[in-house]
């Protein structure tokens, strides 16, 4: 499809003030800083307070993206929130975010495709603009995964963190969208899932649901192998839509699930490690927020420059996967909110 051009005009991020370190996790489960760093690359994660829901962290990220562009909420035509941890099963978190930003009346909807959410959201936002449906779409990837993590299960509790990242997509003369590839395979949803709360196992089962139904569950090694193959393959295919090859990419911004998954993907694509953007040590796996959080870092520190070809890729529950190839424009990063620089101990998870 080729219609109007689309660019990303501004980006923003927010990470809650709570910090859960590997040392904190050593107090909760039988693990070690050494194991976590070697097997995952993670050192700490940001954790929402018990009062903070996903919309509460999506809103400051969205405000930061708007602030970076000088646009007002009234300039935005549509709001999309990609999340696996919505405020409620319904209504959509995007409706809550849009109204809080002063956009009541504008279309707003969620994308629920786990860690692939930002990639599906980028493709949706860009396609809506290219087709002429909207001139401006605000996409936010936001998660409070700490709410669905069992902090007695060492196989999952070390992996996940909370955060949000936002991007404002706008119609433009130049078309920055180079190509996209999305995919899904739902043959075995239990590879990576939250068992309870949906229609398969509703909350109102009068006590039949066990405790684990409320926590993320995962077959780690199965996800690992699939992740590497699908991120590499979809990155190649997204670039091929613009007759580009992996070596034409200036940067790879992958979903931050595990440093070893990222390293293996970089090797499979035969890219130099310096072209890969990672910040997993700071945030852990923040699902649909991980790509915009990494993007914000690389734009803020001047690594990603106007004109660069950037490939974004992710995989996640579904199973699902995807990649977007993008020519970076001149988007700025909104100011980091104060909360990001005053860490707190998440006392509801690690008591003093
Ligand atoms: N600390 C110490 N030991 C641990 C821990 C821990 N936190 N977790 C597991 N172990 C142990 C296991 O019990 C096992 O012990 P054993 O050999 O005595 O049985 C050993 O470490 C190895 O376990 P593996 O599961 O084989 O470890 P692996 O190297 O595969 O790493 C990991 C596990 C990090 C989970 C890895 O498989 C992974 O990253 N998988 C992908 C996860 C992922 O990307 N999920 C995406 C979620 S995204 C979304 O959509 C929400």
């Amino acid at each position: 499809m080729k219609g109007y051009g689309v660019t990303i005009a501004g980006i923003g991020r927010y990470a809650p003030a709570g910090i859960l370190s590997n040392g904190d996790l050593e107090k909760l489960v039988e693990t070690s800083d050494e194991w976590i760093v070697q097997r995952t690359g993670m050192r700490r994660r940001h954790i929402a307070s018990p009062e903070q829901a996903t919309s509460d962290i999506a809103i400051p990220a969205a405000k930061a993206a708007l602030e970076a562009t000088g646009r007002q909420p009234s300039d935005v035509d549509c709001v999309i929130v990609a999340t696996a941890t919505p405020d409620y099963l319904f209504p959509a978190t995007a409706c809550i975010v849009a109204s809080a930003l002063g956009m009541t009346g504008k279309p707003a909807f969620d994308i629920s495709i786990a860690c692939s959410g930002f990639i599906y959201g980028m493709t949706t936002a860009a396609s809506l603009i290219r087709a002429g449906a909207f001139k401006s779409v605000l996409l936010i990837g936001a998660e409070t995964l700490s709410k669905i993590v069992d902090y007695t299960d060492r196989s999952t509790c070390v992996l996940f963190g909370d955060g949000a990242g936002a991007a404002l997509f706008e119609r433009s003369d130049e078309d920055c969208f180079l190509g996209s590839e999305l995919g899904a395979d739902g043959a075995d949803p239990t590879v990576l899932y939250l068992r309870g709360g949906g229609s398969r196992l509703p909350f109102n089962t009068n006590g039949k649901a066990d405790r684990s139904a409320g926590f993320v569950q995962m077959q780690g090694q199965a996800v690992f192998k699939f992740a590497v193959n699908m991120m590499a393959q979809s990155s190649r295919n997204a670039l091929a839509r613009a007759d580009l090859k992996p070596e034409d990419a200036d940067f790879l911004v992958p979903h931050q699930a595990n440093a070893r998954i990222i390293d293996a993907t970089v090797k499979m694509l035969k890219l130099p490690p310096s072209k890969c953007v990672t910040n997993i040590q700071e945030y852990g796996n923040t699902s649909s927020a991980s790509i915009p959080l990494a993007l914000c870092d690389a734009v803020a520190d001047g690594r990603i420059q106007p004109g660069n070809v950037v490939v974004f890729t992710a995989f996640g529950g579904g199973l699902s996967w995807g990649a977007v190839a993008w020519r970076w424009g001149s988007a700025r990063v909104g100011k980091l909110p104060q909360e990001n620089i005053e860490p707190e101990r998440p006392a509801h998870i690690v008591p003093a």
Side-chain angles (χ1 to χ4, degrees):
M1 180 185 62
K2 181 84 182 87
Y4 296 97
V6 58
T7 191
I8 294 177
I11 52 179
R13 61 187 152 174
Y14 177 86
I19 298 287
L20 187 67
S21 68
N22 290 353
D24 292 329
L25 286 160
E26 285 175 348
K27 293 178 199 148
L28 298 176
V29 290
E30 200 183 325
T31 191
S32 66
D33 174 56
E34 191 191 4
W35 191 96
I36 300 170
V37 173
Q38 276 183 3
R39 299 292 185 111
T40 72
M42 298 168 189
R43 292 186 183 275
R44 55 187 213 160
R45 324 92 198 111
H46 291 250
I47 300 291
S49 70
E51 295 75 33
Q52 275 177 317
T54 293
S55 65
D56 297 319
I57 66 170
I59 291 162
K63 283 184 177 164
L66 289 172
E67 182 262 331
T69 59
R71 303 288 188 276
Q72 299 304 313
S74 55
D75 298 321
V76 177
D77 296 333
C78 174
V79 179
I80 304 174
V81 173
T83 185
T85 47
D87 287 22
Y88 308 103
L89 272 182
F90 73 91
T93 301
C95 301
I96 298 163
V97 171
S99 278
L101 291 171
M103 299 176 198
T104 300
K106 299 282 175 73
F109 62 95
D110 285 1
I111 289 184
S112 172
I113 190 81
C115 303
S116 307
F118 204 77
I119 297 296
Y120 273 65
M122 290 182 82
T123 307
T124 305
S127 302
L128 285 167
I129 289 177
R130 292 174 106 215
F134 301 118
K135 286 187 184 161
S136 165
V137 177
L138 181 60
L139 170 66
I140 309 151
E143 302 285 4
T144 48
L145 290 158
S146 63
K147 313 276 180 173
I148 58 162
V149 165
D150 178 357
Y151 285 98
T152 66
D153 173 9
R154 70 175 182 174
S155 71
T156 53
C157 75
V158 302
L159 301 174
F160 298 103
D162 303 337
L168 184 66
F169 291 72
E170 285 187 347
R171 186 187 286 182
S172 89
D173 293 338
E174 189 196 2
D175 193 15
C176 296
F177 181 85
L178 299 174
S180 157
E181 158 120 336
L182 304 177
D185 176 355
D188 182 3
T190 69
V191 174
L192 176 52
Y193 76 143
L194 182 68
R195 193 158 54 90
S199 57
R200 183 71 60 194
L201 183 62
F203 284 133
N204 56 7
T205 47
N206 301 323
K208 276 191 239 143
D210 58 85
R211 181 177 173 273
S212 70
F215 296 122
V216 63
Q217 291 173 53
M218 178 180 75
Q219 297 165 31
Q221 288 190 348
V223 177
F224 195 108
K225 282 180 208 143
F226 144 85
V228 176
N229 288 330
M230 299 322 285
M231 289 211 293
Q233 187 181 309
S234 56
S235 295
R236 266 194 220 101
N237 291 345
L239 283 161
R241 302 261 154 92
D243 292 326
L244 296 171
K245 296 196 167 61
E247 58 265 35
D248 298 317
D250 296 297
F251 287 98
L252 177 75
V253 183
H255 170 45
Q256 312 282 307
N258 184 317
R260 290 185 297 140
I261 291 177
I262 294 173
D263 291 347
T265 306
V266 165
K267 275 201 189 100
M268 207 174 254
L269 289 170
K270 299 194 173 66
L271 293 173
S274 59
K275 283 191 172 184
C276 182
V277 178
T278 54
N279 60 5
I280 198 166
Q281 64 285 355
E282 170 67 22
Y283 295 104
N285 179 349
T286 57
S287 188
S288 61
S290 86
I291 285 180
L293 283 169
L295 172 66
C296 282
D297 275 4
V299 173
D301 68 20
R303 261 175 298 169
I304 294 183
Q305 289 288 325
N308 282 165
V309 173
V310 184
V311 185
F312 303 92
T313 184
F315 66 93
L319 294 170
S320 62
W321 61 88
V324 169
W326 196 269
R327 188 172 299 284
W328 193 249
S330 53
R332 289 195 312 112
V333 185
K335 204 159 46 76
L336 204 62
Q338 181 69 13
E339 284 85 340
N340 287 48
I341 48 179
E342 288 184 1
E344 287 170 8
R345 188 171 47 82
H348 62 294
I349 294 174
V350 204

